[in-house]
Amino acid sequence: MFGKLLTRARSLFKSSPSPAPEPVEPSQKSNPSTTVAVNSTAPEPPVEPSEETERETDGTKEKTLRYEEGDFTFTMPLEEEERLVLQEARKKYEEAKLQMKDDDSPWEMNQLKHLKAMQYWCLQIYYRDRAQHFYKRREEDPEALEMAVRYCEKQIAYAPMAIRANRMNPQTKGLPQHYGYKQLAIIHEKQGRFNDAIRLCKQALEEGWKGDWETRIRRLQQKRDRASSGN
């Protein structure tokens, strides 16, 4: 009985965060509507993610992800696909809780904490995958670059929530690379928008995302200065 339970439990935890694919080196930026409030206190046990109806526009009810943990509050409007991604992640977590309700061994508790964090980390992966998908198609689809930028911006707007999810996960060791920051900085660099690219790199560095941000900032500053001097 325990062997079957363990096998089933392990099958539910295959969706660990995968390393972020490397952006391709060398738009007008919109700001997804997010609200973040945070202080430096240690995280408390989080509440479950909730979807709230905020308003009705043109007959369509807008759903919002709202997360509260101590003094940290994060809200972000959800499109239907994003809502379904969260719903699937939540389903996996609830299935795991049922499978392991009579077993509180350290391994099972570790896996449950991991999957609970994945309820929030799942959108980090989703935005990365969509941005990468559209960026690869930029030469064949005239709208693909705009869509890639859009999902990079969404992933960047989601960064505070992703950082929180990373801290919740006992199976992570620091923040990984952030595809959205890096790819959007590359896009801005190719467009000659060096100050925008530098700003993104500095923001990623301050938030603690893995990457060669300091090297990029120096290189971008040099390119900006050369462009300004006409050399």
Side-chain angles (χ1 to χ4, degrees):
M1 176 68 178
F2 178 75
K4 291 182 179 179
L5 179 61
L6 194 58
T7 299
R8 171 60 178 159
R10 285 174 176 150
S11 70
L12 292 170
F13 296 102
K14 291 181 180 178
S15 57
S16 299
S18 55
E22 281 294 313
V24 180
E25 294 285 352
S27 94
Q28 179 68 34
K29 182 171 181 180
S30 62
N31 292 316
S33 178
T34 59
T35 303
V36 181
V38 63
N39 71 0
S40 58
T41 58
E44 299 175 7
V47 299
E48 299 297 323
S50 62
E51 296 168 12
E52 301 175 350
T53 300
E54 288 202 334
R55 64 178 181 271
E56 185 170 330
T57 305
D58 297 329
T60 302
K61 291 182 179 180
E62 183 180 83
K63 295 291 186 177
T64 299
L65 167 67
R66 180 176 177 84
Y67 175 96
E68 296 180 12
E69 179 185 343
D71 292 330
F72 174 86
T73 300
F74 179 87
T75 60
M76 184 171 178
L78 296 175
E79 296 182 4
E80 181 62 15
E81 273 192 67
E82 297 162 352
R83 187 188 69 79
L84 292 175
V85 169
L86 281 171
Q87 188 177 72
E88 181 62 24
R90 187 180 307 163
K91 179 181 176 182
K92 290 182 179 180
Y93 174 59
E94 294 299 331
E95 287 177 352
K97 284 202 300 184
L98 287 175
Q99 291 285 349
M100 300 180 183
K101 63 181 179 179
D102 297 323
D103 194 336
D104 59 354
S105 69
W107 183 86
E108 279 74 13
M109 292 300 99
N110 180 279
Q111 297 303 317
L112 277 178
K113 289 178 181 178
H114 162 69
L115 203 53
K116 187 168 188 175
M118 287 298 294
Q119 289 184 101
Y120 313 97
W121 186 261
C122 64
L123 279 179
Q124 174 78 0
I125 298 172
Y126 171 76
Y127 294 139
R128 178 202 70 191
D129 290 349
R130 298 307 292 161
Q132 186 186 36
H133 167 76
F134 284 110
Y135 191 74
K136 285 181 176 179
R137 301 183 60 211
R138 68 192 184 281
E139 301 296 337
E140 58 192 75
D141 183 349
E143 297 181 357
L145 182 60
E146 181 181 349
M147 293 298 296
V149 169
R150 179 170 177 265
Y151 280 107
C152 284
E153 291 172 349
K154 277 179 170 284
Q155 194 188 40
I156 289 169
Y158 193 69
M161 187 68 253
I163 291 170
R164 211 69 174 185
N166 181 270
R167 292 176 182 172
M168 292 164 54
N169 195 336
Q171 299 182 14
T172 60
K173 297 180 180 179
L175 291 172
Q177 294 191 18
H178 193 288
Y179 183 89
Y181 273 124
K182 189 172 183 179
Q183 188 62 76
L184 191 55
I186 291 170
I187 292 171
H188 286 337
E189 179 182 356
K190 289 182 175 181
Q191 296 172 336
R193 297 169 57 181
F194 300 116
N195 285 332
D196 287 335
I198 290 169
R199 175 181 52 78
L200 288 171
C201 292
K202 286 182 176 180
Q203 188 172 330
L205 177 64
E206 290 172 0
E207 290 180 359
W209 297 98
K210 183 179 179 181
D212 57 345
W213 304 114
E214 292 177 331
T215 300
R216 286 179 175 276
I217 291 168
R218 287 194 297 270
R219 178 172 57 77
L220 286 164
Q221 288 172 336
Q222 292 170 356
K223 292 185 71 172
R224 178 196 60 190
D225 294 344
R226 286 197 300 268
S228 298
S229 63
N231 296 329

